[in-house]
Amino acid sequence: MTETLIPLADFEAARTRIAPYVNPTPLVAITPEGLRLKAESLHPIGAFKIRGAFNAILSLSDEERARGVIAFSSGNHAQAVSYAANRLGVKAVIVMPNNAPKAKLEGTRRWGAEVITVGGSSHERMLHAKAIQAEHGYALVPPYDLLTIMQGTGTIGLEILDQAPDALVVYTPVSGGGLLGGVSAAIKQARPGVKVIGVEPELANDAWQSFKAGHIVGLTAEETARTIADGLRVQQVGDLTWPHIRTYVDEIVTVTEAEIKAAMRLIATGAKLLAEPSGAVSTAGALKRGGDLTKAVAVLSGGNVDLDVLAGILAE
């Protein structure tokens, strides 16, 4: 199979395409550590996924948009597709797990999408969405394994380079690989000397295992369900995201559940931002790996966390 790697020009084009709908997010420093957070939690749906959703839907033909779109997601991509479809006047159907956080379910319904819940397996969500797609002719907008999704997420990397020209290393969460693959490809082609490091939970370390093995390694839904980072419970990286990770990523590190929770507390107290567990793993990875954190940027990918969960973690 011929691997397709996204050229830098495609990330620049995506940046222009989504600009009317997606505002750049700021860098916010954690004090006193000096680590800068790319605050993707400040988007209207509280997560970076808005970038890929808009780019993917805007890249469809008029006829495809007229038929509507379908997506499958554990939460943030669901909200992003629902929001983007609402803004663009497109019908959206979203397949979500029945154990998705309440905040993400409510957020998805808020923007008018039809929500269908299934079991907790990411594979089950995908199969159910594809069956509905075949029946109704919707355009499928998967959460990560799509080039237009990666083009959209890669715009984060371009913004980081503009906002932090002194940055030497960028940390990003890794789930299905759309975020890590897109950000790493954009950054490495624009500024090869910047290191890009993926971070994921020890309890859902399929990307770390894949990186070590040199090929895609998958986990079971039962294994990935063990982590509090619900947005990172994808069982394996995508066929399209993997070549980008293998080509452009310097390192993948894993963090414990305790380290994720500690990062959430530090983000709240040191940067005055809310981070969901999945969004805090990059900060946890940066703190664990160490070095000069004033030359590092961590992508805070999302802030959609149930308040009772957040209160319990902050109180620990």
Side-chain angles (χ1 to χ4, degrees):
M1 182 179 68
T2 302
E3 293 179 346
T4 301
L5 295 176
I6 301 170
L8 182 60
D10 286 5
F11 293 113
E12 296 284 6
R15 189 180 196 177
T16 300
R17 188 178 297 117
I18 68 176
Y21 306 97
V22 179
N23 293 323
T25 54
L27 294 182
V28 180
I30 296 178
T31 55
E33 286 77 8
L35 173 67
R36 285 164 288 183
L37 305 181
K38 182 62 169 159
E40 291 293 289
S41 56
L42 298 180
H43 286 300
I45 57 95
F48 78 98
K49 292 282 192 177
I50 192 174
R51 297 173 182 266
F54 267 111
N55 193 55
I57 296 174
L58 287 168
S59 297
L60 296 173
S61 67
D62 291 343
E63 191 271 335
E64 287 172 319
R65 286 198 292 272
R67 292 202 308 265
V69 298
I70 186 164
F72 55 96
S73 165
S74 62
N76 283 336
H77 179 66
Q79 293 181 85
V81 171
S82 182
Y83 176 82
N86 179 284
R87 286 287 307 276
L88 297 172
V90 175
K91 174 182 172 61
V93 179
I94 317 288
V95 180
M96 300 182 69
N98 52 24
N99 62 350
K102 182 180 178 183
K104 294 182 178 181
L105 279 165
E106 291 179 349
T108 304
R109 292 190 174 105
R110 181 180 306 127
W111 299 110
E114 176 187 347
V115 175
I116 298 170
T117 58
V118 295
S121 163
S122 58
H123 187 66
E124 182 180 353
R125 292 196 292 278
M126 177 186 69
L127 292 179
H128 200 79
K130 286 185 174 179
I132 296 172
Q133 176 199 19
E135 181 180 354
H136 295 280
Y138 300 135
L140 182 66
V141 183
Y144 53 87
D145 211 27
L146 186 69
L147 295 179
T148 51
I149 290 287
M150 295 177 68
Q151 291 162 9
T153 59
T155 62
I156 297 170
L158 299 181
E159 286 182 20
I160 289 173
L161 295 181
D162 288 346
Q163 295 168 329
D166 63 331
L168 298 178
V169 58
V170 174
Y171 294 86
T172 176
V174 51
S175 181
L179 175 59
L180 179 60
V183 167
S184 63
I187 287 177
K188 285 294 188 178
Q189 291 180 83
R191 199 175 300 167
V194 177
K195 283 191 172 181
V196 181
I197 297 174
V199 189
E200 68 180 349
E202 285 185 0
L203 297 181
N205 67 350
D206 61 286
W208 179 81
Q209 290 190 48
S210 300
F211 204 71
K212 282 186 64 179
H215 59 82
I216 296 175
V217 176
L219 299 177
T220 66
E222 291 73 24
E223 287 174 313
T224 60
R226 297 174 299 168
T227 180
I228 191 175
D230 60 278
L232 307 183
R233 290 174 182 164
V234 172
Q235 292 160 242
Q236 66 180 54
V237 297
D239 292 332
L240 297 177
T241 65
W242 169 243
H244 293 80
I245 293 171
R246 190 182 59 209
T247 302
Y248 295 115
V249 172
D250 292 283
E251 185 181 342
I252 293 179
V253 299
T254 62
V255 291
T256 66
E257 300 296 286
E259 288 166 340
I260 295 170
K261 293 177 181 179
M264 292 175 66
R265 290 190 289 271
L266 180 63
I267 290 167
T269 57
K272 305 302 185 282
L273 292 170
L274 292 183
E276 62 186 274
S278 304
V281 296
S282 52
T283 297
L287 295 169
K288 185 172 189 173
R289 190 170 176 275
D292 184 0
L293 294 181
T294 65
K295 300 296 185 183
V297 175
V299 178
L300 197 177
S301 57
N304 294 312
V305 56
D306 286 347
L307 293 180
D308 55 345
V309 172
L310 178 65
I313 291 172
L314 294 179
E316 285 183 18

